Amino acid sequence: MKGKATSFDIAHYAGVSQSTVSRALRGSPLVNEETRRKVVEVARKLNYKVDKNASNLRAQQSSTLAVLLFEDPTSDESQINPFFLSMLGSITRACAKEGYDLLVSFQSSSNDWHADYAESHRADGIILLGYGDYIDYQAKFARLLDTNTKFVCWGANVDGRPELTVSCDNQYGGRLVAEHFIELGRTDCAFIGDASHHSPEFSARFKGFEQRLQDNGKHVSERKMATAISTEESGYQATKSLLANNITFNALFGASDLIAIGAIRALQEAGLRVPHDVSVVGFDDLAVARFCTPPLSTVQQNTTLAGQMLVANLLSLIGEQEVDLANSILPPQLIVRQSSR
Amino acid sequence: MKGKATSFDIAHYAGVSQSTVSRALRGSPLVNEETRRKVVEVARKLNYKVDKNASNLRAQQSSTLAVLLFEDPTSDESQINPFFLSMLGSITRACAKEGYDLLVSFQSSSNDWHADYAESHRADGIILLGYGDYIDYQAKFARLLDTNTKFVCWGANVDGRPELTVSCDNQYGGRLVAEHFIELGRTDCAFIGDASHHSPEFSARFKGFEQRLQDNGKHVSERKMATAISTEESGYQATKSLLANNITFNALFGASDLIAIGAIRALQEAGLRVPHDVSVVGFDDLAVARFCTPPLSTVQQNTTLAGQMLVANLLSLIGEQEVDLANSILPPQLIVRQSSR
DNA sequence: CTGAAAGCGCTTACAG
DNA sequence: CTGAAAGCGCTTACAG
């Protein structure tokens, strides 16, 4: 036999028809147990593997999901936010468990937008990940909905379609941070992030934070807020600009760990001690958080669970089944380390 | 039109044959420029996308690569070594640039070994990544070679097939660390890692380290070596065991950054100051290295270049072309931070 | 339970 | 430069 074995080769050697080979290998209940055993053995001997291109073409499905990782266009190319890498890990695992393959793609600019993973039948559905600009997202969502592509999205809401989103309860996470600062007696707070509608996750975190402070008769002065994207450098610069304007505060909430880490660097360079002069809390609980100086207090998002929910919900969507909405908003958890007290 | 448009639909509306549509869309030089324009326009209007399953089946190739990430079975499931995540990022980018899709899979146990990505025509070639056990690897290599699967491997050599490997010059990296310690006057060295043939990368690092010390009339006493896999916890435990036996040293080389970070924790817990009492150097230059306490000196591997070379070499293999051997061993670079002096 | 046959949507000789 | 036709390797009605 030259080249790879086909189902016809197996049929030949097993003394059955090609249709029976196909049924036997796919576990059809129609096939006699004896026959199946024979087929499976021949297949193993000839090292036969079903050609996925052929079966996918015929069955009109791909048993493949695609994950698109949007990178903030303003962040530098080389460093992907570890948070999403961690999500990627758990998504990969969840896919494997469900028998799906996973295509991965980074979307750095808007022009190489790969909605066509689905349209070209390479994937049955798409998972969207990233701290992108929310406004940009809406156009992409429209395109996906338009082509009837199955997709789920991390973090950002699709108008009127809650079943398409899995997210952390960002607002509750923000409340936890405020509560922590209140307990510490540190209510002169700064916020570094982007509380605008461009970043729905960051602004939800801010909203919860601000609300909890207001419950306590406090609030974040607009002067003590600085915009940053989710990078160490951006957090550093934003904090520096605050300090350069002689803005003072005794607590700082970074909308992500990378931002908080950059903020700590800016504070320390300015001669301020963390947590003695300023308590700092981040958001994400990256692996680095434990190893910072000082170790960073933060709000942990459960990426394992998040990945599992994204995959589970996407498969529900593909299978036209009910999505588990109740578990699609994941509760975050405050982790107190040495950067706040 | 119901469902997705096919090339026949495009042919119909463009007033040409289906073969011409296929040629036009694939950029065949055979087709008239005028005709092509017409076809392309109709295709765009109908939102037509070539069905990858069909074209792959027919053309007998998939324009897809697969990356298999082997995890050390002894490491805990949730945390993937950030070094490989970073490699994954650069591989993804390199694939996209070459017009290939990327399938990703984590191989945690030996039984879900996905060599069949290639056999089932889902991928044209495979990239192997991970700090696995070298002995285990050999069996996998044999299987891949046996089925004539195209693959490249990071780090581990395939006997007599240098074209299948891309790696960092680990031995040279080890030399750099020894040289650094010698310059600091710290030659009472400990090594934490696995210098056995189970971990060819770690043992190459050790070999270069030891050689350079010997050039200087020194060496690493076997008592001052402790075995560890590439996790923080393992580095911590290994270092603790050394200290528990009252082994002393004034410099420590961790075979990876995670190991070195764990070692620092063990040293600090034992009341030793880094770098005052012990200089510590790691290997990899993870993103965390900069944020450690103290910031970790390390040997940087260029993951961007590594990913590019892996993809480039694999494509050469697939295209039956000469592999660029000269650039397949990447020079590492010593990064001195505060953990050594 | 099994087989013969159609067909998924393309690419690519072959003939003009 | 273009078209008619074969065929990639499967899955799945259809008939028995």
Side-chain angles (χ1 to χ4, degrees):
Chain A
M1 189 169 353
K2 61 270 167 189
K4 313 237 173 197
T6 72
S7 53
F8 283 94
D9 298 320
I10 309 304
H12 176 73
Y13 287 105
V16 296
S17 76
Q18 181 266 339
S19 348
T20 298
V21 171
S22 177
R23 287 196 197 93
L25 263 22
R26 307 191 70 242
S28 159
L30 290 173
V31 68
N32 180 292
E33 201 42 52
E34 184 66 19
T35 313
R36 184 196 313 281
R37 235 190 308 270
K38 197 167 53 188
V39 168
V40 167
E41 194 194 317
V42 174
R44 204 187 43 71
K45 260 191 195 146
L46 297 190
N47 199 23
Y48 170 73
K49 290 288 181 312
V50 171
D51 185 312
K52 280 286 179 178
N53 289 132
S55 66
N56 288 346
L57 172 60
R58 183 50 235 252
Q60 295 288 63
Q61 50 118 42
S62 66
S63 296
T64 300
L65 303 181
V67 55
L68 304 192
L69 218 164
F70 290 90
E71 301 173 308
D72 197 310
T74 31
S75 85
D76 89 338
E77 268 237 349
S78 57
Q79 294 296 338
I80 299 156
N81 189 323
F83 175 73
F84 291 109
L85 253 16
S86 159
M87 288 281 279
L88 186 57
S90 97
I91 289 169
T92 305
R93 260 186 254 288
C95 275
K97 201 154 54 181
E98 302 287 344
Y100 275 73
D101 286 329
L102 187 69
L103 281 168
V104 173
S105 169
F106 295 146
Q107 307 284 309
S108 35
S109 54
S110 50
N111 59 333
D112 60 353
W113 160 243
H114 278 218
D116 53 349
Y117 271 131
E119 293 167 21
S120 61
H121 291 267
R122 275 177 298 188
D124 297 333
I126 292 180
I127 296 172
L128 301 175
L129 232 55
Y131 283 127
D133 184 310
Y134 186 60
I135 307 300
D136 289 352
Y137 264 41
Q138 297 306 315
K140 299 186 195 301
F141 292 155
R143 162 96 185 271
L144 289 172
L145 291 168
D146 206 47
T147 55
N148 196 29
T149 299
K150 309 294 183 183
F151 73 99
V152 291
C153 179
W154 171 258
N157 281 354
V158 184
D159 295 334
R161 301 289 297 272
E163 74 279 16
L164 303 183
T165 300
V166 174
S167 64
C168 168
D169 191 337
N170 289 299
Q171 202 170 326
Y172 176 66
R175 290 189 72 85
L176 291 175
V177 178
E179 214 155 279
H180 178 53
F181 284 157
I182 289 166
E183 276 169 13
L184 296 173
R186 302 252 183 157
T187 51
D188 184 10
C189 301
F191 175 82
I192 313 287
D194 178 1
S196 82
H197 58 298
H198 287 272
S199 302
E201 292 198 275
F202 285 3
S203 54
R205 290 167 197 176
F206 176 71
K207 194 174 166 190
F209 184 70
E210 172 78 353
Q211 277 183 348
R212 186 65 188 80
L213 284 180
Q214 285 180 2
D215 291 350
N216 221 48
K218 313 279 181 184
H219 80 288
V220 182
S221 150
E222 214 164 302
R223 294 173 53 248
K224 306 195 176 183
M225 294 172 62
T227 299
I229 61 169
S230 197
T231 65
E232 200 262 349
E233 181 62 20
S234 184
Y236 172 75
Q237 295 296 351
T239 307
K240 242 176 100 157
S241 76
L242 244 40
L243 298 172
N245 290 322
N246 294 315
I247 312 274
T248 61
F249 42 84
N250 58 18
L252 182 151
F253 177 22
S256 77
D257 280 354
L258 291 179
I259 289 175
I261 289 167
I264 289 177
R265 182 157 65 98
L267 293 169
Q268 289 175 339
E269 278 188 15
L272 293 165
R273 289 160 298 172
V274 177
H276 186 273
D277 300 316
V278 181
S279 281
V280 176
V281 175
F283 208 108
D284 284 344
D285 196 24
L286 301 183
V288 299
R290 262 204 321 281
F291 305 124
C292 296
T293 321
L296 182 65
S297 296
T298 188
V299 178
Q300 182 179 62
Q301 306 195 63
N302 187 335
T303 55
T304 303
L305 203 52
Q308 286 166 357
M309 286 307 297
L310 283 165
V311 171
N313 288 5
L314 182 53
L315 292 182
S316 294
L317 251 24
I318 290 168
E320 317 250 281
Q321 281 156 15
E322 203 70 23
V323 164
D324 179 6
L325 280 179
N327 289 311
S328 296
I329 298 184
L330 309 170
Q333 197 185 345
L334 182 73
I335 309 280
V336 177
R337 300 200 180 91
Q338 282 92 296
S339 70
S340 61
R341 63 152 205 244
Chain B
M1 189 168 351
K2 62 265 165 192
K4 312 239 174 197
T6 72
S7 53
F8 282 93
D9 297 320
I10 310 303
H12 176 73
Y13 287 106
V16 296
S17 76
Q18 182 267 341
S19 350
T20 298
V21 171
S22 177
R23 288 197 197 91
L25 262 22
R26 307 191 69 243
S28 159
L30 288 174
V31 68
N32 180 294
E33 200 44 50
E34 185 66 18
T35 314
R36 184 196 314 281
R37 234 192 307 271
K38 198 167 51 187
V39 168
V40 167
E41 195 194 317
V42 173
R44 203 186 45 71
K45 261 191 194 147
L46 298 191
N47 198 23
Y48 171 73
K49 291 287 181 311
V50 172
D51 184 313
K52 280 285 178 179
N53 290 132
S55 66
N56 289 345
L57 171 60
R58 183 50 235 254
Q60 296 289 62
Q61 50 120 39
S62 66
S63 295
T64 301
L65 303 180
V67 54
L68 303 192
L69 218 162
F70 290 91
E71 300 172 309
D72 197 311
T74 32
S75 85
D76 90 338
E77 269 237 349
S78 58
Q79 294 296 338
I80 300 155
N81 189 322
F83 175 73
F84 291 109
L85 252 16
S86 158
M87 288 281 278
L88 185 57
S90 98
I91 289 170
T92 305
R93 262 185 253 287
C95 275
K97 201 153 56 182
E98 301 289 343
Y100 276 74
D101 285 329
L102 187 69
L103 281 168
V104 173
S105 170
F106 295 147
Q107 308 283 311
S108 33
S109 54
S110 50
N111 60 332
D112 62 351
W113 160 242
H114 280 217
D116 54 350
Y117 270 131
E119 294 167 22
S120 62
H121 290 268
R122 275 176 297 188
D124 297 333
I126 292 180
I127 297 172
L128 301 175
L129 233 54
Y131 282 127
D133 183 310
Y134 186 60
I135 307 300
D136 288 352
Y137 263 42
Q138 297 306 315
K140 300 185 194 300
F141 292 154
R143 161 97 186 272
L144 289 172
L145 291 167
D146 205 47
T147 55
N148 196 29
T149 299
K150 310 293 183 184
F151 74 99
V152 291
C153 181
W154 170 257
N157 279 354
V158 185
D159 294 335
R161 301 290 297 274
E163 75 278 17
L164 303 183
T165 301
V166 174
S167 64
C168 169
D169 191 338
N170 288 298
Q171 202 169 326
Y172 176 68
R175 289 190 73 84
L176 291 176
V177 178
E179 213 156 279
H180 178 52
F181 284 157
I182 289 167
E183 277 170 12
L184 296 174
R186 302 251 182 155
T187 51
D188 184 10
C189 299
F191 174 82
I192 313 287
D194 177 2
S196 83
H197 58 300
H198 286 273
S199 302
E201 292 198 274
F202 284 4
S203 54
R205 290 169 196 176
F206 176 71
K207 193 174 168 191
F209 183 69
E210 172 79 352
Q211 278 183 348
R212 186 65 188 80
L213 283 179
Q214 287 179 3
D215 291 351
N216 220 48
K218 314 280 181 181
H219 80 290
V220 182
S221 150
E222 214 163 302
R223 296 173 51 249
K224 308 197 175 184
M225 293 173 61
T227 299
I229 60 168
S230 196
T231 65
E232 200 261 352
E233 181 62 20
S234 184
Y236 171 76
Q237 295 296 351
T239 306
K240 242 176 101 156
S241 75
L242 244 41
L243 297 174
N245 290 323
N246 294 314
I247 314 274
T248 60
F249 43 85
N250 58 19
L252 182 151
F253 177 24
S256 78
D257 280 354
L258 291 180
I259 289 175
I261 289 168
I264 289 177
R265 182 157 66 97
L267 293 169
Q268 289 175 338
E269 278 187 16
L272 293 165
R273 289 159 298 172
V274 177
H276 185 272
D277 300 316
V278 182
S279 279
V280 176
V281 175
F283 207 108
D284 284 345
D285 196 24
L286 301 183
V288 300
R290 259 205 323 280
F291 304 124
C292 296
T293 320
L296 182 66
S297 296
T298 187
V299 179
Q300 181 178 65
Q301 307 194 63
N302 187 335
T303 54
T304 303
L305 204 53
Q308 286 165 358
M309 285 308 296
L310 283 165
V311 171
N313 287 5
L314 182 53
L315 292 181
S316 295
L317 250 24
I318 290 168
E320 319 250 278
Q321 281 158 14
E322 203 70 25
V323 163
D324 179 7
L325 281 179
N327 289 311
S328 296
I329 298 183
L330 310 170
Q333 197 185 343
L334 182 73
I335 310 280
V336 177
R337 299 201 179 91
Q338 282 93 294
S339 69
S340 62
R341 65 152 203 244

